[in-house]
Amino acid sequence: MKIMLAEDDAKVADYIVAGLSEHGHSVDRFDDGRDALSYCLYNDCDLAILDRMLPGMDGLSVLKALRASNKSLPVLFLTALGQVDDRVEGLAAGSDDYLTKPFHFSELVARIDAIVRRKTETSVQPVLTVHDLTLDLMSRTATRQGNVIELHSKEFSILEVLMRNCGRVVTRTLLLERVWNFNFEPNTTVVETHMSRLRAKVDKPFDTPLIHTIRNTGYSMHGPR
């Protein structure tokens, strides 16, 4: 999942980015509210984590601007402002949840999962299917012809991007953005390395390849044509 984090405390931000990355998420971090708003308005991501007190534009104003633009991006406030009036103000402005600092990382992850689960239940198919391959986003399991495929977190994220874009070309740049982050070194072979491992698990044991290379561009996933 791709997450936007707006947090101006460098130590807290590093802690959150490291923890969420361990859970397989890609995190783009900003320490200025105006930059965070611009990113959310013009880029695709799955969740925004906002501090209330940010330089440039405070988190509440960022959220109000997002909602005024009809952006349905889920938002979680993570802030030291924890009085009842603060929480009510944040939720009334359109946030999906409100967590106060200091916090336990396990609770942050649980709240993120709950927000995504609610979104999935209302707007997204919880199970993706391409030919005889299925990907259950809730249990985070992949199966093909009934056989469970063990995937590492990055492999799962790559497969999710490919299956959500079934029949379309998924560029290498898009994979770097969605699975890793914008600042990742573009000349690295990390995509090819992970794709090779993914193919060995998803395609190699079966007769019909589903992942196809588009030369000099990226990849496409589809069943037999």
Side-chain angles (χ1 to χ4, degrees), residues 107-151:
E107 184 177 5
L108 174 63
V109 172
R111 299 228 186 184
I112 290 172
D113 290 344
I115 291 173
V116 173
R117 185 164 55 248
R118 289 197 296 271
K119 179 184 177 184
T120 300
E121 289 171 350
T122 57
S123 61
V124 179
Q125 289 293 328
V127 178
L128 303 176
T129 302
V130 175
H131 189 49
D132 53 3
L133 173 69
T134 62
L135 190 69
D136 190 320
L137 302 181
M138 299 309 299
S139 64
R140 294 185 66 80
T141 56
T143 59
R144 186 165 183 186
Q145 296 180 8
N147 300 296
V148 176
I149 302 171
E150 300 291 341
L151 298 175

Side-chain angles (χ1 to χ4, degrees), residues 9-212:
D9 186 312
K11 289 185 178 179
V12 173
D14 289 345
Y15 171 65
I16 295 172
V17 170
L20 292 180
S21 298
E22 289 176 356
H23 282 77
H25 301 302
S26 173
V27 184
D28 288 317
R29 177 206 162 193
F30 299 89
D31 57 12
D32 182 282
R34 290 170 299 191
D35 294 338
L37 174 61
S38 177
Y39 173 88
C40 291
L41 288 176
Y42 301 110
N43 296 276
D44 291 329
C45 62
D46 302 298
L47 175 75
I49 300 175
L50 280 175
D51 191 0
R52 287 282 303 266
M53 296 177 289
L54 291 167
M57 177 184 285
D58 65 89
L60 193 64
S61 297
V62 171
L63 174 61
K64 289 179 178 178
L66 283 173
R67 295 303 180 239
S69 68
N70 294 320
K71 194 81 173 182
S72 60
L73 174 67
V75 172
L76 166 65
F77 269 128
L78 182 59
T79 174
L81 297 179
Q83 298 299 314
V84 172
D85 289 346
D86 297 323
R87 299 198 300 271
V88 169
E89 187 177 35
L91 292 168
S95 72
D96 296 83
D97 203 350
Y98 199 105
L99 182 60
T100 57
K101 303 174 184 174
F103 63 96
H104 292 286
F105 201 85
S106 58
E107 184 177 5
L108 174 63
V109 172
R111 299 228 186 184
I112 290 172
D113 290 344
I115 291 173
V116 173
R117 185 164 55 248
R118 289 197 296 271
K119 179 184 177 184
T120 300
E121 289 171 350
T122 57
S123 61
V124 179
Q125 289 293 328
V127 178
L128 303 176
T129 302
V130 175
H131 189 49
D132 53 3
L133 173 69
T134 62
L135 190 69
D136 190 320
L137 302 181
M138 299 309 299
S139 64
R140 294 185 66 80
T141 56
T143 59
R144 186 165 183 186
Q145 296 180 8
N147 300 296
V148 176
I149 302 171
E150 300 291 341
L151 298 175
H152 295 301
S153 60
K154 293 300 184 188
E155 295 165 352
F156 187 95
S157 297
I158 293 171
L159 189 58
E160 180 181 352
V161 174
L162 291 173
M163 294 181 75
R164 285 191 184 281
N165 292 278
C166 178
R168 295 193 288 268
V169 175
V170 176
T171 65
R172 184 171 169 276
T173 300
L174 178 63
L175 284 173
L176 283 168
E177 292 177 352
R178 298 294 296 180
V179 179
W180 287 272
N181 61 62
F182 279 126
N183 298 319
F184 209 90
E185 170 55 50
N187 294 323
T188 182
T189 59
V190 66
V191 173
E192 289 75 9
T193 300
H194 281 75
M195 191 63 73
S196 177
R197 293 172 182 165
L198 182 62
R199 277 177 152 153
K201 296 178 179 180
V202 171
D203 278 348
K204 190 174 181 179
F206 305 94
D207 294 332
T208 304
L210 301 179
I211 301 172
H212 306 272

